[in-house]
Amino acid sequence: MNEVHPPPVERVSAGWMTLLALAQMGIIMATTVGSQILLPSHVARIDPAHKEASLAVVFAVGAVCTIVANPLFGAMSDRTRSRFGRRRPWIVGGALVCAASLVFLAWQESLAGLVVGWAVAQLAFTAALAAAIATVPDQVPIRQRGKVSALAGVGQLAGPLLGGVVATVLLTGVKAAFLSMAVLVLLLVLPFGLFTREPAEGPAEELAEGPAELSAAAAGATAGVIAETAVATAGTAAVTTGPAVAAAGPAVGTDAPFGLGAFLRGLWVSPRRHPDFAWAWVSRLMITLTLAMAIGYLQYYLRDAVHYERLFPGSTVEQGVVALVAVFTLSSVVPTLLAGWLSDRYGSRRPAVCAGGLTMAASGLVLTFLTGWPAAIAASVLLGAGYGMFTAVDQAMVTQLLPADADRAKDLGIVSLANSASNTLGPVIAAPLVTSAGGYPLMYGVAAGFATLGACLIWRIRGVR
């Protein structure tokens, strides 16, 4: 069922936008703090001699899970028909399972435990985020998507800073940090899933159930699906080793039952039939690969290249990461909001996305030619500004290029595979570069090249300005 539905025309409220931004903030906070601070510290303590390779294993397995989960949970969300709506069960259930997996990680003392816990966490992150992102084309008119994406982008960029401060300044110890992330995920994500509405797809009374019923149903359903997906993905990974009510929009979706064969066929979106969608996917892969390489080994860069703890006696390298995250976040706020507002005002998306990619490339070039704490700060300023412009407008642009209304969440999941692929490829590409004669300068130079290529490919898109 690939009917053409007109996009929503009624504007969403500021309260709806705020709750969506907070939800995305919570999800990105947990996954970023986990990958940048908590997991590197945990791995370095468990296996200090091989920390780079061991961390790459944890990241790779988690990324494989995300690759599977992005289109899978998106497709299942498209086909969900419940009195709670299509997206809300996945948002609520994903948040609950995510919190549970973070609690599990708090007590792990082995590399295998970290791999399993992070894999389940990535599945839950993805289930919640895929459904939350799909609410934008479901309910937000095109002329408002730049602002919505920009505000959500600020939330995504501020989340790691909030989580980093909590995990390294307000609290001490890995257990307390993981537990605090679990609590923050629930506080930030659940309000959007529990207290907003979706476009009506059934009798009004079916949509009036309270938060308690939704939480129970969503937790059970999502946990069951994630458990089944985790089992299947674990086998694959083992082989590869490596408050306001939203304005109602049109009810869309497909009533076709979920089937594995149809799902697998749906993962292929023909570049010949949908070239703009393909170019958007490839450009996002290149630009997010730069980010993955820039931040994946940030803690080790500060420890081994900058010698942060020697420069600032009494401080820890984790605190250095938080300081750079703060610079990154503060540098991103104005460019993010400005890019989103301008793209809506002038109806032009590509210039902001391209400028964001080129600014990220400049950050990589700084660390290619300079090594030290001042260079790291300068690079963080450029990376934050560039990624802010990119993330504010790219998501809005992609929602205008989706191949089929009936498969919005699935197709957005396919786009998100670019992020997952970059998180998988980033450590694989970065590790040999870091350990080679070129070291960190070579790695950051390659990262700058990827961002430049991604920025240039934006101009191959013809369906949006």
Side-chain angles (χ1 to χ4, degrees):
M1 174 178 168
N2 289 332
E3 304 170 33
V4 176
H5 298 267
V9 295
E10 296 186 41
R11 298 169 68 87
V12 296
S13 68
W16 190 93
M17 289 189 287
T18 300
L19 289 181
L20 175 63
L22 289 175
Q24 295 193 36
M25 176 182 180
I27 299 167
I28 300 301
M29 173 202 66
T31 187
T32 305
V33 172
S35 62
Q36 289 185 10
I37 298 174
L38 302 184
L39 287 176
S41 298
H42 220 18
V43 169
R45 183 174 60 83
I46 293 173
D47 188 14
H50 310 95
K51 60 183 186 294
E52 293 89 356
S54 295
L55 184 63
V57 171
V58 178
F59 284 165
V61 174
V64 169
C65 291
T66 307
I67 289 172
V68 173
N70 261 313
L72 174 61
F73 289 138
M76 297 183 73
S77 172
D78 287 330
R79 287 158 176 78
T80 297
R81 292 295 179 271
S82 79
R83 56 187 174 182
F84 309 115
R86 287 187 293 155
R87 314 301 184 193
R88 295 167 67 211
W90 297 97
I91 295 169
V92 174
L96 294 175
V97 176
C98 172
S101 64
L102 291 170
V103 172
F104 173 83
L105 282 165
W107 272 271
Q108 297 312 299
E109 295 296 333
S110 68
L111 185 61
L114 294 181
V115 169
V116 172
W118 191 243
V120 176
Q122 290 296 91
L123 291 172
F125 291 148
T126 305
L129 188 60
I133 290 174
T135 62
V136 175
D138 283 352
Q139 302 185 49
V140 181
I142 290 175
R143 67 181 182 274
Q144 206 179 8
R145 290 183 189 176
K147 298 181 184 70
V148 170
S149 296
L151 188 58
V154 171
Q156 292 181 24
L157 293 166
L161 176 58
L162 171 63
V165 170
V166 171
T168 63
V169 178
L170 301 182
L171 299 173
T172 58
V174 172
K175 287 184 180 180
F178 272 119
L179 294 176
S180 68
M181 292 303 102
V183 172
L184 286 172
V185 163
L186 297 179
L187 292 176
L188 293 170
V189 180
L190 289 183
F192 182 74
L194 295 175
F195 303 121
T196 62
R197 297 292 188 225
E198 297 187 44
E201 295 185 72
E205 63 270 20
E206 292 185 347
L207 296 176
E209 301 293 338
E213 291 91 339
L214 176 56
S215 296
T222 308
V225 174
I226 288 178
E228 293 175 8
T229 307
V231 171
T233 306
T236 303
V239 173
T240 57
T241 313
V245 177
V252 297
T254 175
D255 292 322
F258 178 82
L260 182 59
F263 165 71
L264 293 176
R265 289 191 297 272
L267 293 180
W268 174 251
V269 177
S270 171
R272 184 184 298 273
R273 294 178 57 194
H274 306 284
D276 286 349
F277 185 83
W279 287 120
W281 194 96
V282 175
S283 68
R284 178 180 285 201
L285 173 65
M286 295 293 100
I287 292 175
T288 56
L289 186 57
T290 299
L291 184 68
M293 295 174 67
I295 69 176
Y297 287 89
L298 180 58
Q299 186 177 133
Y300 299 160
Y301 172 76
L302 293 182
R303 177 181 289 120
D304 301 332
V306 176
H307 306 292
Y308 181 85
E309 293 176 346
R310 188 188 308 169
L311 285 174
F312 304 99
S315 298
T316 65
V317 70
E318 291 84 359
Q319 292 172 336
V321 171
V322 173
L324 291 182
V325 170
V327 172
F328 175 93
T329 303
L330 295 174
S331 301
S332 70
V333 173
V334 171
T336 301
L337 296 175
L338 185 60
W341 179 78
L342 288 174
S343 73
D344 278 347
R345 180 177 178 84
Y346 296 105
S348 182
R349 312 290 192 195
R350 294 184 299 171
V353 179
C354 179
L358 293 178
T359 306
M360 292 174 68
S363 73
L365 290 178
V366 170
L367 297 182
T368 301
F369 298 104
L370 299 171
T371 298
W373 181 243
I377 293 177
S380 295
V381 170
L382 291 170
L383 188 66
Y387 189 67
M389 288 186 282
F390 169 77
T391 195
V393 183
D394 182 70
Q395 190 67 34
M397 180 181 71
V398 166
T399 64
Q400 296 176 236
L401 302 174
L402 300 178
D405 289 336
D407 295 316
R408 286 170 175 169
K410 185 266 291 181
D411 291 335
L412 284 169
I414 293 173
V415 174
S416 295
L417 286 177
N419 303 69
S420 305
S422 66
N423 289 332
T424 304
L425 294 173
V428 174
I429 296 172
L433 296 175
V434 168
T435 56
S436 71
Y440 284 104
L442 175 61
M443 188 268 284
Y444 284 114
V446 172
F450 285 132
T452 302
L453 177 59
C456 293
L457 292 177
I458 290 295
W459 299 104
R460 301 300 301 268
I461 297 173
R462 297 289 184 259
V464 297
R465 290 171 49 200

